[in-house]
C-alpha cells in the first residue's frame, strides 16, 4: 500500500487526477470504477479541467460506478447517476453508452445485480477503482458485516449512513433506505485501487489500514489488495 498524506483537498485532487490521468494515458481503452460522495468531487473537477486543456481524452474509457440508491431514476437529482452526469460524464467526451451504474429503479433488483456483475466481467474487470470511505468503514455501500466475497447486491443502509447522507437531501425522510452496491469481491479484483479520504475520516482510515482485517470494517479488506494507493488529508500515522 502507498499512503500519501497531503496538505489539503486541492492537493489530494491533483494527486488523484495524476493517477487517473496516467491510467488513461497508459490504457486509453480502460475501465474506471468510480465513486460518489463529496470527497471525489474536486478530483472530478480537476479531471474536467485537464480534459478542457486537452491533456486527457475519455473517448475510449468505460466507467462502472460503485452504487446507486434504490428507487431513484437517473433523472432524480439525488441519484448517483445524476451526480456523475453533473460532475464528470456531462463535462468530458466519454460516450454516454460507456457509463454504467446499477439501475436503482430496476423492477427486479436481484436480476439487476446479476446483470451488473456480468457486465463488469464482460468488460474484463476494473483497471482502476476510485473509492471513498464511510465513517463506519463502508466502501461503496458495503456496510459493516458484508462478506468478503459479496457480489453486487441490495443493501439496507445503516442508520449512521442514512444520517451522513441526509445532507444531500432536503430531509432525512427522503434518504432512500436501500441501495444496490458493487460487492467487495469485484472491488478487490480491480487491478488498482485509489482510496481518497478527508481528515474527518482519519480514525476509521487508521482502523482500516492498520487494524485487523474484518468484515466489521469493510475498508480493512483493502489490506489484502496488492495495489492500493491511499491519498488523505488526515493524520493517519
Ligand atoms: C456514500 C457512498 C460512498 C462514499 C461515502 C462517503 O455512502 N456510497 O461511496 O465513499 O458516501 O462519502 P463522503 O465522501 O461524502 O464522505
Amino acid at each position: 500500500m502507498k499512503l500519501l498524506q497531503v496538505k489539503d483537498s486541492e492537493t489530494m485532487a491533483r494527486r488523484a487526477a495524476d493517477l487517473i490521468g496516467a491510467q488513461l494515458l497508459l490504457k486509453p481503452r480502460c475501465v474506471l470504477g468510480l465513486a460518489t460522495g463529496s470527497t471525489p468531487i474536486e478530483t472530478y473537477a480537476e479531471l474536467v479541467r485537464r480534459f478542457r486543456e486537452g491533456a486527457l481524452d475519455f473517448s475510449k474509457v468505460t466507467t462502472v460506478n460503485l452504487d446507486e440508491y434504490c428507487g431513484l431514476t437517473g433523472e432524480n437529482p439525488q441519484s448517483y447517476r445524476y451526480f456523475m452526469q453533473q460532475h464528470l460524464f456531462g463535462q468530458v467526451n466519454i460516450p454516454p453508452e460507456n457509463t454504467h451504474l446499477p439501475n436503482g429503479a430496476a423492477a427486479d433488483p436481484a436480476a439487476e445485480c446479476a446483470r451488473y456483475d456480468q457486465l463488469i466481467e464482460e468488460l474484463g474487470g476494473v483497471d482502476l477503482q476510485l473509492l471513498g470511505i464511510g465513517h463506519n468503514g463502508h466502501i461503496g455501500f458495503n456496510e459493516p458485516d458484508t462478506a468478503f466475497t459479496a457480489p453486487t447486491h441490495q443493501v439496507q443502509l445503516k442508520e449512521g449512513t442514512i444520517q451522513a447522507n441526509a445532507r444531500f437531501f432536503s430531509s432525512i425522510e427522503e434518504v432512500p433506505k436501500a441501495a444496490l452496491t458493487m460487492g467487495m469481491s469485484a472491488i478487490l479484483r480491480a487491478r488498482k485501487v485509489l482510496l481518497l479520504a478527508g481528515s474527518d475520516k482519519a480514525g476509521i482510515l487508521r482502523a482500516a489500514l492498520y487494524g485487523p482485517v474484518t468484515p466489521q470494517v469493510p475498508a480493512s479488506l483493502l489490506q489484502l489488495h496488492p495495489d492500493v494507493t491511499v491519498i488523505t488529508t488526515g493524520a493517519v500515522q
Side-chain angles (χ1 to χ4, degrees), residues 36-39 66-67 80 132-133 138 140-141 165 167-168 201:
T36 52
S38 49
T39 312
L66 285 169
D67 46 13
Y80 284 166
I133 180 172
H138 74 232
F141 271 131
N165 289 353
R167 66 190 195 279
F168 300 111
K201 308 282 175 48

Side-chain angles (χ1 to χ4, degrees), residues 112-167:
E112 172 59 10
C113 290
R115 180 197 71 83
Y116 206 65
D117 281 331
Q118 171 88 24
L119 169 76
I120 295 169
E121 203 176 310
E122 282 167 12
L123 290 171
V126 174
D127 289 300
L128 173 62
Q129 177 66 57
L130 179 63
L131 298 175
I133 180 172
H135 283 104
N136 60 5
H138 74 232
I139 293 285
F141 271 131
N142 288 281
E143 294 280 34
D145 261 343
T146 304
F148 289 28
T149 52
T152 299
H153 59 291
Q154 182 169 6
V155 284
Q156 298 305 313
L157 303 181
K158 301 269 185 198
E159 197 47 44
T161 301
I162 292 171
Q163 276 166 20
N165 289 353
R167 66 190 195 279

Side-chain angles (χ1 to χ4, degrees), residues 26-39:
L26 286 170
K27 187 178 174 188
R29 207 170 282 284
C30 64
V31 178
L32 294 181
L34 297 178
T36 52
S38 49
T39 312

Side-chain angles (χ1 to χ4, degrees), residues 7-209:
K7 64 177 194 312
D8 52 27
S9 62
E10 197 186 317
T11 313
M12 177 156 76
R14 270 193 274 110
R15 300 298 294 268
D18 288 347
L19 291 172
I20 297 168
Q23 175 68 65
L24 262 61
L25 293 172
L26 286 170
K27 187 178 174 188
R29 207 170 282 284
C30 64
V31 178
L32 294 181
L34 297 178
T36 52
S38 49
T39 312
I41 289 178
E42 281 181 75
T43 298
Y44 292 142
E46 180 63 18
L47 289 171
V48 169
R49 198 182 64 73
R50 292 180 191 196
F51 163 74
R52 288 189 182 142
E53 280 176 352
L56 291 180
D57 174 18
F58 289 81
S59 63
K60 300 188 181 69
V61 173
T62 299
T63 63
V64 286
N65 260 78
L66 285 169
D67 46 13
E68 181 58 281
Y69 286 116
C70 284
L72 302 190
T73 66
E75 286 78 53
N76 188 312
Q78 313 294 357
S79 71
Y80 284 166
R81 160 65 74 184
Y82 194 96
F83 173 103
M84 290 308 303
Q85 197 59 34
Q86 295 284 104
H87 292 289
L88 186 68
F89 302 156
Q91 315 269 350
V92 298
N93 65 336
I94 188 164
E97 64 276 17
N98 286 9
T99 65
H100 305 280
L101 285 89
N103 176 7
D108 182 346
E112 172 59 10
C113 290
R115 180 197 71 83
Y116 206 65
D117 281 331
Q118 171 88 24
L119 169 76
I120 295 169
E121 203 176 310
E122 282 167 12
L123 290 171
V126 174
D127 289 300
L128 173 62
Q129 177 66 57
L130 179 63
L131 298 175
I133 180 172
H135 283 104
N136 60 5
H138 74 232
I139 293 285
F141 271 131
N142 288 281
E143 294 280 34
D145 261 343
T146 304
F148 289 28
T149 52
T152 299
H153 59 291
Q154 182 169 6
V155 284
Q156 298 305 313
L157 303 181
K158 301 269 185 198
E159 197 47 44
T161 301
I162 292 171
Q163 276 166 20
N165 289 353
R167 66 190 195 279
F168 300 111
F169 293 79
S170 41
S171 74
I172 195 160
E173 289 72 37
E174 281 178 35
V175 186
K177 308 288 179 283
L180 303 183
T181 185
M182 199 190 278
M184 289 310 298
S185 95
I187 294 167
L188 291 171
R189 279 204 305 274
R191 287 180 265 285
K192 288 194 186 75
V193 171
L194 171 57
L195 172 66
L196 307 182
S199 52
D200 58 317
K201 308 282 175 48
I204 191 65
L205 191 57
R206 201 173 300 125
L209 302 183

